Amino acid sequence: MSLTVKSLRALRCLWRGWRCLSSQGGAMNVFDRSMKRRQKQWASSLLDSDKYDYIRDEVGSRLADRVYDVSRTFPLALDVGCGKSHIAEHLSKDIVERLFLTDISDSSLIHQVLKPDCVFIGAMVGSETLYELRCSLQLAELEREGGFAPHISPYTAVTDLGNLLGQAGFKMLTVDIDEVQVHYPGMLEVMSDLQGMGESNCAWNRKSLLHRDTILAAAAIYKEMYGNEDGSVPATFQILYMIGWKPHESQAKPAKRGSANVSFADLSKISKLQTDHQKTNEKP
């Protein structure tokens, strides 16, 4: 049986789709971890790798601010995915006495190493990250090739983050959103910096080839739709910050259902009494 080039491509797509949908330990296997490791190793080997650290440096500073917001001194802390230690430089021993750094760790390690009543503080990119690049590439591929494939890794939606933290066993959750917008000369510079950061797409269903005319069309669409008056283009990084506490019996707990001694229906009566009292005081 002979296979055409189109048949081979179809089989390859089916294989990638199966790898994407396959599960390991009940979790969706979306990313090629070995590819991501190679991307990061290549990025760290660059002689000018420091010039690609601006997003991580900025997020590290903002994440450290959230550590200071927790009015407590931590005798021990672990920085998972530390990279070049973008957070440690912003922390003092008054807040964190000892800090361990690691850049490769199983997702379950975060919760298992925490003592009861200890806090997990993290940051990750959200689903609106690089929406300008994603939209431009999709429109260009639709126009030039009649369809599009994902060229940017999928990101977590803020609506899912609370559920993920809860499933991991954390309590007293706090999630907030921030944005970092960087301006570039053009789309090609955006893609070049992403490669330099080691943050290229590593999903199993990624497309290995992007045609030159599609890239040029996407760059033109990018500048037309999102370009600034000075000729530059923005790239938006949505950052999701999260705080979760490992449960402990000393932590505050919600009151039992039905234990309230004031009804919400009585709130309108309180407001009415305050209004009547104010009118009485205003009488001559």
Side-chain angles (χ1 to χ4, degrees):
M1 179 179 66
S2 61
L3 293 175
T4 64
V5 174
K6 288 186 178 180
S7 299
L8 289 172
R9 288 177 178 173
L11 286 173
R12 184 173 62 179
C13 290
L14 287 172
W15 167 250
R16 286 178 173 173
W18 180 85
R19 292 294 298 271
C20 179
L21 293 175
S22 65
S23 60
Q24 295 180 351
M28 186 73 74
N29 182 14
V30 177
F31 299 105
D32 184 345
R33 294 178 64 84
S34 62
M35 173 58 71
K36 176 52 62 180
R37 188 175 294 110
R38 291 196 296 271
Q39 290 174 354
K40 287 186 173 291
Q41 288 173 344
W42 177 86
S44 64
S45 69
L46 298 176
L47 296 178
D48 57 350
S49 62
D50 290 344
K51 79 175 188 178
Y52 301 108
D53 291 337
Y54 49 89
I55 293 294
R56 293 190 180 95
D57 288 338
E58 182 65 25
V59 174
S61 174
R62 298 187 187 190
L63 184 62
D65 288 341
R66 287 158 172 81
V67 177
Y68 281 95
D69 290 339
V70 181
S71 56
R72 180 182 297 190
T73 298
F74 300 99
L76 187 65
L78 173 67
D79 183 356
V80 180
C82 61
K84 297 179 183 177
S85 185
H86 305 279
I87 301 174
E89 62 183 86
H90 302 288
L91 300 175
S92 67
K93 287 194 173 182
D94 295 334
I95 299 298
V96 177
E97 295 178 351
R98 297 178 66 195
L99 178 65
F100 286 88
L101 308 177
T102 177
D103 197 47
I104 299 177
S105 177
D106 293 334
S107 58
S108 60
L109 177 68
I110 297 172
H111 189 255
Q112 292 176 358
V113 300
L114 283 179
K115 295 180 179 180
D117 198 34
C118 284
V119 65
F120 164 71
I121 303 178
M124 64 189 302
V125 291
S127 58
E128 296 301 313
T129 295
L130 299 174
Y131 70 88
E132 305 97 338
L133 178 60
R134 183 186 298 110
C135 183
S136 300
L137 287 172
Q138 289 177 353
L139 290 176
E141 274 197 309
L142 280 172
E143 176 192 355
R144 298 303 173 97
E145 302 179 32
F148 64 87
H151 294 284
I152 299 177
S153 296
Y155 301 124
T156 303
V158 65
T159 53
D160 298 329
L161 198 53
N163 292 332
L164 293 173
L165 290 171
Q167 291 172 10
F170 293 105
K171 304 296 182 182
M172 299 191 297
L173 308 178
T174 302
V175 176
D176 64 290
I177 307 173
D178 203 355
E179 280 192 357
V180 179
Q181 193 170 81
V182 184
H183 298 274
Y184 296 88
M187 189 195 78
L188 297 181
E189 287 76 12
V190 177
M191 298 175 69
S192 176
D193 273 22
L194 290 175
Q195 186 179 27
M197 296 174 189
E199 295 300 341
S200 300
N201 187 11
C202 68
W204 285 111
N205 62 343
R206 66 187 180 274
K207 186 178 179 180
S208 59
L209 178 64
L210 191 60
H211 297 289
R212 182 176 181 274
D213 57 340
T214 302
I215 295 177
L216 295 177
I221 293 172
Y222 200 131
K223 182 154 293 189
E224 178 65 26
M225 293 182 61
Y226 306 106
N228 301 314
E229 293 182 357
D230 62 0
S232 64
V233 297
T236 302
F237 298 84
Q238 183 190 53
I239 312 299
L240 309 181
Y241 296 95
M242 66 207 87
I243 299 177
W245 292 81
K246 189 165 184 180
H248 188 263
E249 58 184 10
S250 65
Q251 294 171 351
K253 297 179 178 60
K256 293 182 179 179
R257 186 176 180 86
S259 62
N261 52 23
V262 177
S263 172
F264 280 107
D266 295 332
L267 295 178
S268 60
K269 298 179 182 179
I270 296 175
S271 177
K272 185 177 184 301
L273 288 173
Q274 290 177 339
T275 303
D276 293 342
H277 179 69
Q278 183 178 3
K279 289 180 178 179
T280 302
N281 292 337
E282 290 175 355
K283 289 182 178 180

